[in-house]
Amino acid sequence: MIDLKDQIDLSKLPRHVAVIMDGNGRWAAQQGKERVFGHQNGVTSVRETAEAAAELGIEYLTLYAFSTENWNRPADEVEALMSLLVTTIHNEMDTLTKNNIRLNAIGDLNSLKPKTLAELQSAIDQTKHHSRMVMTLALSYSSRWEITHAMQCIARKVKNGEIAVENIDNQTISNHLATAGMPDPELLIRTSGEYRISNYLLWQIAYAELHFTTTLWPDFRRQNFYEALIDFQHRERRFGKTSQQIKTELSKT
Ligand code: IPE
Ligand code: IPE
Ligand code: MG
């Protein structure tokens, strides 16, 4: 079997990859099972993706695990997702340690149940010295929630005289988002053949390359991740310039 890993140029890796893990429910339905069976099987995909990313040398992996809008799902599914989160964090501590991965979370975490939040916080604390990769779970997260929150914070600082209105720039806004301190994702992957962003990292993905695959999340494996990276490496990232300018710049380096 060809290993797609060999086709990856390690000198041109994205520093930050974001993933919208979608299609668990449909995967379960295909096997005549309940939706939660799909969520349970998605855990293997998270482990494979995290290990593959850490081994390659990707610094930040940010996974959309539960959106603000997902609270509107049937109560039993929400409950099942939250308990799966607790058991998974608990069971995967070894994986995080073995791979030197630091766990992080972004989102409206105070809306989680105290038990869920405590388990999450304990795993974050236990992995805080791990240095190979930061794996961020977006939980009870939505970009509009995050931006609204950032705006409130900036407005408060303006009111207190800590920030002058005319000094608010791109960086000020980035610094007040939940992802403050992280580089913007250069690559965003969405599985399951849905071609939308669903309120994810809207500010941060301004110039990300988007990779869509019809693979359902529970079927996503290392090779699918490598495929996304190869696709990314074939893109010409122009940032508003012309293709000619980019080629000239590249020939000088
Ligand atoms: C993604 O799979 C997981 C979450 C959103 C929590 P879905 O549960 O959205 O699966 P589909 O899209 O219904 O197949
Ligand atoms: C987005 O998936 C959220 C997560 C992957 C956690 P959804 O399945 O909830 O997205 P929509 O609602 O179909 O856009
Ligand atoms: Mg979905």
Side-chain angles (χ1 to χ4, degrees):
M1 195 182 100
I2 338 162
D3 190 352
L4 292 174
K5 196 178 180 183
D6 301 334
Q7 294 174 33
I8 300 170
D9 179 347
L10 296 175
S11 71
K12 291 200 187 91
L13 283 175
R15 293 184 66 197
H16 186 172
V17 178
V19 186
I20 303 177
M21 312 184 287
D22 199 12
N24 296 352
R26 278 163 283 168
W27 186 89
Q30 280 175 2
Q31 348 235 329
K33 298 273 176 48
E34 297 292 325
R35 296 178 56 83
V36 60
F37 184 67
H39 300 315
Q40 288 160 349
N41 280 275
V43 175
T44 309
S45 312
V46 172
R47 191 188 310 117
E48 286 235 350
T49 304
E51 288 188 330
E55 282 165 17
L56 284 170
I58 285 163
E59 295 168 69
Y60 300 90
L61 177 68
T62 302
L63 305 173
Y64 208 1
F66 193 87
S67 72
T68 308
E69 289 75 21
N70 289 147
W71 289 113
N72 297 322
R73 291 193 177 191
D76 58 345
E77 183 173 345
V78 171
E79 186 55 45
L81 277 165
M82 290 300 151
S83 67
L84 181 65
L85 176 70
V86 173
T87 49
T88 304
I89 291 174
H90 195 79
N91 294 342
E92 298 296 330
M93 282 310 294
D94 279 356
T95 311
L96 296 175
T97 306
K98 196 174 72 196
N99 293 283
N100 198 10
I101 298 172
R102 177 152 74 86
L103 186 67
N104 178 39
I106 56 172
D108 185 11
L109 304 179
N110 289 322
S111 64
L112 301 176
K113 275 195 190 156
K115 185 175 170 268
T116 313
L117 185 57
E119 187 73 36
L120 180 67
Q121 201 55 60
S122 140
I124 291 173
D125 287 347
Q126 283 178 64
T127 62
K128 69 178 178 212
H129 299 299
H130 295 174
S131 56
R132 184 145 74 150
M133 183 178 83
V134 178
M135 183 171 88
T136 302
L137 298 180
L139 278 172
S140 191
Y141 172 90
S142 73
S143 204
R144 287 187 172 182
W145 167 83
E146 179 187 43
I147 292 171
T148 305
H149 192 263
M151 292 309 133
Q152 289 172 345
C153 194
I154 293 171
R156 225 174 280 122
K157 289 185 182 174
V158 167
K159 203 170 152 199
N160 296 340
E162 287 173 61
I163 298 180
V165 170
E166 49 285 359
N167 290 339
I168 297 173
D169 58 12
N170 275 334
Q171 200 55 49
T172 317
I173 295 171
S174 293
N175 289 345
H176 287 82
L177 297 175
T179 51
M182 297 185 202
D184 287 337
E186 298 96 323
L187 170 64
L188 170 71
I189 301 170
R190 183 172 189 146
T191 59
S192 88
E194 301 297 351
Y195 302 95
R196 57 177 174 259
I197 302 299
S198 305
N199 217 345
Y200 195 41
L201 303 172
L202 297 177
W203 173 274
Q204 297 89 332
I205 61 166
Y207 256 111
E209 297 297 331
L210 310 180
H211 174 87
F212 295 100
T213 168
T214 53
T215 302
L216 301 174
W217 181 251
D219 286 329
F220 196 87
R221 291 291 175 272
R222 280 164 184 273
Q223 297 295 321
N224 302 94
F225 186 67
Y226 297 152
E227 203 172 77
L229 290 172
I230 293 164
D231 181 23
F232 168 80
Q233 293 187 334
H234 284 107
R235 308 278 179 94
E236 182 179 58
R237 307 192 71 212
R238 290 193 285 274
F239 300 100
K241 294 182 183 174
T242 65
S243 185
Q244 189 54 54
Q245 285 175 295
I246 300 299
K247 290 194 176 82
T248 311
E249 282 170 15
L250 275 176
S251 67
K252 284 183 190 147
T253 56

